[in-house]
Amino acid sequence: MKLLGLFRHAKSDWADPRARDFDRPLNKRGRTGAAIMGRHIRDHGVAWDHVISSPAVRCTETVEIAAEAAGRPLAVNWDRRIYLASSATLADLLREQDEGFSATLMVGHNPGLEDLIFDLVPDDGSSPLRDVVEVKFPTAAYAVLELDIDRWADLADNCARLVHLTRPRDLDPTLGPQLT
């Protein structure tokens, strides 16, 4: 069995309409959400032996803030292929992972991460957490999937169980949707 963690970048700043999408930083709410989720990921207890992330600014800031809040520095493999990748590209990247890693945390973007959950977790009614993801996999959401594989190279559709899902608003209601 392998473990896959999916951590979507925190809320980004849209204040500068001239900024390239890749260069958008986190906004204040995003920095707060990244810190809260970093502590949650630490407390959840999975020892991630490998972290791969998009190098987009909003992802690098999410990882840095989450790691600092958790009090655990992370050695991250920054992989440009994760930036705005499709589920198929993310799955291909996971199939390339070193077999020595049993627990990989991927930090990236939607819709790729959300679609990866839909591809890996069967839509057979057995996962109420999958139903939550169908509504939305919001910024800074964290999911853990147990993969029924022994080798990353064997990653295939419907090989996973979604065993954990936490959104920032689950830990701090002020980080939920802004109703105006």
Side-chain angles (χ1 to χ4, degrees), residues 8 11 29 32-34 36-37 40 131-142 165-179:
R8 185 174 172 204
K11 196 84 167 152
R29 190 168 149 211
T32 301
I36 286 171
M37 294 307 293
H40 172 74
D131 296 341
V132 174
V133 174
E134 284 198 26
V135 173
K136 187 171 187 182
F137 190 65
T139 52
Y142 167 68
L165 175 66
T166 301
R167 303 161 299 181
R169 70 175 170 227
D170 298 330
L171 304 173
D172 180 346
T174 67
L175 295 173
Q178 302 299 303
L179 305 173

Side-chain angles (χ1 to χ4, degrees), residues 80-119:
R80 179 111 185 177
R81 294 176 293 172
I82 298 172
Y83 175 65
L84 303 181
S86 68
S87 173
T89 299
L90 296 175
D92 287 343
L93 195 147
L94 289 166
R95 286 185 196 100
E96 296 172 6
Q97 296 308 297
D98 184 309
E99 295 305 336
F101 299 129
S102 61
T104 294
L105 177 64
M106 178 182 281
V107 183
H109 312 266
N110 260 1
L113 293 180
E114 183 175 287
D115 289 344
L116 186 61
I117 292 170
F118 297 149
D119 290 344

